[in-house]
C-alpha cells in the first residue's frame, strides 16, 4: 500500500470510489496519481467523494473533511490554505509524517490515523525480516535457485534467533505486538520509547544509543518526527556493532540510510532487514549485492485480511466527525 508519485496525468478513481449522492457528506480524497481507489469499496455508500486530482477547485471551498490515502503527498500549510473550511484530516496510514501536525493543531484541524488496524501485520513482517536476516532465508533461497547447492555445497549457517537481545525503538501498538511475538521466540526484549512503560516486563533505555549498546538487533517501528529523524545514525550503528542487525518497518528516515550503506559495505554491521527507505521507491543499489540484507518494497503495512478493519476505522472516524461524536483514532502528538 505504499503509493508513490509519478509525472503521469492522474487516472480517475475506480468505480468503487466516485462522486456519488449529493445528499451525502462531502469527503475530499487526497492521493498520489498512482492510487486508483479500490481500497475502500464501502466509502461511496456513506460519503460523496471528491477526488482532489480530478475535481474543480471551486467545488472544494466548503469541504470540511479530507481522506489521505496512501500516504499521499505532504499536507503542508500551502496545501491546507486551499481548504479554508477544513476540520478533519483522516489518514489511512499509521504514520502521519506526511501531515504538518503543528499546523493542523494551530488551525483547529483534527487528524486521525489507522489506529491498530494493521499493527499485527507490521509486527509479523518485522519478525519475518528479523528471522530472514539472521537465518539467511532469502539468501539461501537464491543459492538453491541459482543451482549452487550441488556445485558449491552447503550454504553458510545463519545465526540463532532465540536468545537474541532485541531492542525495539518505539513501543506503541506495533512495537508491543513485535515484543509479544519475539518474547515467544525466546528473545530478550528491551525498548526505548517516548515514555517508560513500567507495567511491562521489558528493560527500558532512554536513548537509541543506550538501547543499541544493549541489543543484538535493533527494530525501528516508531513514528517519524523531528526528534526521530535519523535516530539510528552512525554512532548508534557503531555501538550496535559488527554483528548487529537493523530492522526497519517504520519510515526510511528513521535510519541514516547513507551511513547504513557505508556500514554494511565495510562489514561494520551484521545485516539489515529494510521495508522502508528514504527515497521510495528508490533503494540504494549498493545493497542489491549484499546477502546479509533483506529488501522489501514497503510491504509490511497491511494484508488483504486487515483491509476491512482499516475501512471500518476510516469510515468510523469520518462518521464520528460528521455526527459530532468522539473519533476512533485521533492522533495525539
Ligand atoms: O507505512 C504505512 C503506514 O504508516 O500505514
Amino acid at each position: 500500500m505504499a503509493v508513490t508519485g509519478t509525472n503521469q496525468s492522474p487516472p480517475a478513481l475506480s468505480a468503487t470510489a466516485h462522486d456519488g449522492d449529493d445528499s451525502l457528506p462531502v469527503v475530499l480524497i487526497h492521493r498520489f496519481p498512482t492510487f486508483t481507489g479500490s481500497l475502500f469499496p464501502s466509502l461511496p455508500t456513506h460519503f460523496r467523494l471528491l477526488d482532489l486530482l480530478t475535481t474543480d477547485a471551486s467545488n472544494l471551498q466548503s469541504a470540511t473533511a479530507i481522506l489521505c490515502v496512501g500516504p499521499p503527498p505532504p499536507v503542508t500549510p500551502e496545501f491546507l490554505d486551499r481548504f479554508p473550511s477544513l476540520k478533519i484530516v483522516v489518514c489511512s496510514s499509521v504514520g502521519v509524517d506526511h501531515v504538518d501536525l503543528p499546523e493542523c493543531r494551530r488551525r483547529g484541524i483534527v487528524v486521525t490515523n489507522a489506529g491498530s488496524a494493521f499493527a499485527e501485520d507490521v509486527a509479523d513482517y518485522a519478525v519475518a525480516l528479523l528471522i530472514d536476516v539472521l537465518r539467511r532465508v532469502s539468501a539461501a533461497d537464491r543459492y538453491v535457485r541459482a543451482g549452487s547447492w550441488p556445485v558449491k555445497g552447503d550454504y553458510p549457517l545463519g545465526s540463532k534467533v532465540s536468545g537474541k537481545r532485541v531492542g525495539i525503538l518505539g513501543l506503541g501498538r506495533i512495537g508491543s505486538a513485535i515484543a509479544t511475538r519475539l518474547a515467544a521466540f525466546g528473545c530478550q526484549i528491551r525498548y526505548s520509547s517516548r515514555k517508560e512503560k513500567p507495567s511491562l516486563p521489558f528493560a527500558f533505555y532512554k536513548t537509541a544509543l543506550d538501547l543499541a549498546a544493549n541489543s543484538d538487533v535493533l527494530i525501528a517501528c516508531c513514528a517519524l518526527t523531528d526528534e526521530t529523524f535519523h535516530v539510528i545514525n552512525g554512532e548508534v550503528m557503531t555501538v550496535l556493532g559488527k554483528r548487529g542487525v537493523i530492522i526497519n518497518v517504520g519510515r526510511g528516515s528513521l535510519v541514516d540510510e547513507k551511513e547504513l550503506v557505508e556500514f554494511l559495505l565495510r562489514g561494520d554491521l551484521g545485516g539489515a532487514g529494510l521495508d522502508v527507505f528514504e527515497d521510495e521507491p528508490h533503494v540504494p543499489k549498493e545493497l542489491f549485492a549484499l546477502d546479509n540484507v533483506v529488501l522489501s518494497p514497503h510491504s509490511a503495512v497491511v494484508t488483504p485480511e486487515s483491509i476491512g478493519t482499516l475501512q471500518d476505522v476510516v469510515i468510523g472516524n469520518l462518521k464520528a466527525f460528521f455526527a459530532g461524536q468522539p473519533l476512533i483514532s485521533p492522533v495525539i502528538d
Side-chain angles (χ1 to χ4, degrees), residues 93-95 118 251 298 301:
S93 53
V94 177
F118 37 76
R251 284 287 182 266
H298 205 139
V301 57

Side-chain angles (χ1 to χ4, degrees), residues 221-240:
C221 54
C222 56
L224 175 64
T225 62
D226 289 346
E227 291 73 40
T228 60
F229 178 83
H230 284 187
V231 62
I232 302 185
N233 55 22
E235 212 184 340
V236 168
M237 294 175 208
T238 301
V239 299
L240 192 58

Side-chain angles (χ1 to χ4, degrees), residues 59-306:
N59 290 334
L60 312 177
Q61 295 297 305
S62 59
T64 54
I66 283 188
L67 169 58
C68 289
V69 189
V75 175
T76 58
E78 297 70 37
F79 175 88
L80 294 170
D81 284 345
R82 293 166 55 198
F83 313 106
S85 310
L86 196 65
K87 288 283 170 285
I88 188 167
V89 175
V90 172
C91 301
S92 69
S93 53
V94 177
V96 291
D97 45 288
H98 57 287
V99 180
D100 187 332
L101 293 177
E103 186 60 24
C104 284
R105 199 182 315 102
R106 198 183 68 72
R107 296 180 187 221
I109 298 170
V110 290
V111 178
T112 66
N113 72 356
S116 57
F118 37 76
E120 289 176 344
D121 295 321
V122 181
D124 291 345
Y125 211 91
V127 172
L129 287 174
L130 180 151
I131 295 175
D132 195 340
V133 175
L134 288 176
R135 299 299 310 272
R136 305 177 162 210
V137 181
S138 293
D141 175 81
R142 285 192 293 275
Y143 188 76
V144 171
R145 285 171 198 260
S148 302
W149 193 9
V151 181
K152 297 186 186 168
D154 289 343
Y155 190 72
L157 296 175
S159 175
K160 194 175 176 76
V161 173
S162 178
K164 283 282 180 306
R165 299 170 306 155
V166 177
I168 300 178
L169 208 49
L171 206 69
R173 292 189 186 93
I174 293 171
S176 302
I178 294 172
T180 310
R181 283 156 175 70
L182 287 176
F185 273 86
C187 295
Q188 303 170 45
I189 308 297
R190 58 271 335 273
Y191 71 102
S192 181
S193 214
R194 263 183 285 214
K195 285 191 204 124
E196 183 171 1
K197 307 191 174 177
S199 61
L200 297 178
F202 310 129
F204 170 72
Y205 292 90
K206 274 208 172 101
T207 65
L209 195 62
D210 285 344
L211 183 67
N214 290 281
S215 301
D216 304 307
V217 179
L218 201 54
I219 302 184
C221 54
C222 56
L224 175 64
T225 62
D226 289 346
E227 291 73 40
T228 60
F229 178 83
H230 284 187
V231 62
I232 302 185
N233 55 22
E235 212 184 340
V236 168
M237 294 175 208
T238 301
V239 299
L240 192 58
K242 280 187 189 309
R243 295 168 66 91
V245 167
I246 291 173
I247 305 294
N248 191 0
V249 289
R251 284 287 182 266
S253 294
L254 294 172
V255 178
D256 184 336
E257 194 170 276
K258 229 169 140 231
E259 283 281 18
L260 178 69
V261 170
E262 293 296 320
F263 269 71
L264 287 165
L265 289 175
R266 290 197 308 263
D268 285 340
L269 261 183
L274 308 171
D275 182 51
V276 284
F277 302 88
E278 291 217 76
D279 182 25
E280 294 175 8
H282 306 289
V283 175
K285 295 202 174 18
E286 300 91 319
L287 299 179
F288 292 179
L290 302 182
D291 261 353
N292 55 343
V293 177
V294 177
L295 303 169
S296 154
H298 205 139
S299 305
V301 57
V302 75
T303 55
E305 289 90 334
S306 306

